[in-house]
């Protein structure tokens, strides 16, 4: 448990933009060159840029004001790392849940509820995480308002919520964010290019789901 906590504490100390003393805050203030930053920070930045390329810019590590913001990958990377810690400690069954992103152990099975963004406290559906689909991530405006940007500004998104179930937590988290940023066009692109299940909620409450989640909705 201490090792898992250390993973998230280290990520916060390195990447948090709320902390004046974090390494990323120093980079954004110009006190530290990105090229001179830690390998962990540079690797996270490279990973985020690779996802920007793969999603055609729907996902980006750069804010409209030019600041580097790695929140879109850092949480998922920390969850992934913590999962490795638990695996190496020979924990047979575990589930990590961090801010709506959930990863479970290989061989584990757990039922996860998907919240209704238009009715607080209610669920749209529940899904069972098990190998090979061990990860689920939800992005949208229900909890934090419209905070996802694309094209230089933050604008109300077509979808208020997107949930992605995938084989790994980084893919699930990034693609959920990309769908919110890119709208229906990105939803089509994601489902054409990645082996994932997706559930989206429009602002009027309409639902779209891939076949893997249609059964969950019916239930």
């Amino acid at each position: 448990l201490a090792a898992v906590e250390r993973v998230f504490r280290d990520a916060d100390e390195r990447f948090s933009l709320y902390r004046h003393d974090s390494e990323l805050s120093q980079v954004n203030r110009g006190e530290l060159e990105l090229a001179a930053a830690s390998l962990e920070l540079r690797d996270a930045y490279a990973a985020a840029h690779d996802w920007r390329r793969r999603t055609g810019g729907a996902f980006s590590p750069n804010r409209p004001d030019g600041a580097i913001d790695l929140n879109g990958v850092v949480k998922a990377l920390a969850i992934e790392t913590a999962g490795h810690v638990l695996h190496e400690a020979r924990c047979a069954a575990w589930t990590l849940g961090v801010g709506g992103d959930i990863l479970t152990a290989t061989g584990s099975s757990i039922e996860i509820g998907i919240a209704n963004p238009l009715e607080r406290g209610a669920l749209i559906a529940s899904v069972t995480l098990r190998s090979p689909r061990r990860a689920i991530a939800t992005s949208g405006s229900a909890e934090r308002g419209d905070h996802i940007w694309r094209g230089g500004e933050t604008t109300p998104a077509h979808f208020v919520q997107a949930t992605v179930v995938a084989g790994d937590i980084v893919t699930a988290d990034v693609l959920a964010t990309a769908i919110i940023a890119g709208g229906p066009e990105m939803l089509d692109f994601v489902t054409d290019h990645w082996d994932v299940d997706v559930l989206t909620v429009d602002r009027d409450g309409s639902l779209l789901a891939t076949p893997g989640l249609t059964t969950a909705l019916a239930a």
Side-chain angles (χ1 to χ4, degrees):
L1 179 60
V4 169
E5 291 175 341
R6 187 162 56 250
V7 169
F8 292 101
R9 184 172 63 250
D10 290 348
D12 184 62
E13 291 174 353
R14 189 180 307 280
F15 297 106
S16 174
L17 294 180
Y18 297 100
R19 296 178 61 124
H20 183 79
D21 61 342
S22 75
E23 187 178 11
L24 187 55
S25 290
Q26 294 177 52
V27 170
N28 279 325
R29 290 197 302 270
E31 298 171 2
L32 176 66
E33 293 288 336
L34 181 60
S38 66
L39 178 63
E40 290 84 357
L41 193 151
R42 287 181 283 122
D43 281 350
Y45 185 69
H49 257 290
D50 183 56
W51 277 110
R52 179 178 185 174
R53 175 189 61 80
R54 295 173 67 185
T55 61
F59 181 89
S60 175
N62 296 100
R63 290 181 173 180
D65 61 5
I68 298 173
D69 186 339
L70 299 178
N71 286 338
V73 294
V74 165
K75 179 173 64 173
L77 288 171
I79 295 171
E80 184 177 68
T81 300
H84 291 318
V85 168
L86 292 169
H87 177 73
E88 291 171 3
R90 298 184 180 182
C91 293
W94 50 263
T95 300
L96 288 164
V98 184
D101 292 357
I102 299 171
L103 177 68
T104 194
T106 301
S108 292
S109 177
I110 186 170
E111 190 173 12
I112 301 296
I114 300 175
N116 184 341
L118 305 179
E119 186 180 348
R120 199 164 189 84
L123 297 179
I124 297 174
S126 63
V127 297
T128 300
L129 294 186
R130 62 167 66 93
S131 295
R133 298 283 174 87
R134 303 190 298 124
I136 186 170
T138 297
S139 185
S141 58
E143 297 296 328
R144 296 174 55 196
D146 289 309
H147 63 285
I148 298 171
W149 63 87
R150 188 185 184 192
E153 61 182 10
T154 302
T155 56
H158 179 89
F159 299 121
V160 296
Q161 184 168 288
T163 297
V164 175
V165 183
D168 70 276
I169 192 60
V170 177
T171 297
D173 195 19
V174 168
L175 294 183
T177 300
I179 290 169
I180 294 295
E185 180 181 346
M186 181 52 53
L187 172 62
D188 291 340
F189 183 79
V190 164
T191 54
D192 284 343
H193 290 81
W194 280 273
D195 181 20
V196 296
D197 279 311
V198 183
L199 171 63
T200 61
V201 185
D202 290 0
R203 291 189 175 272
D204 65 0
S206 299
L207 304 177
L208 292 173
T210 53
L213 288 179
T214 302
T215 302
L217 282 175

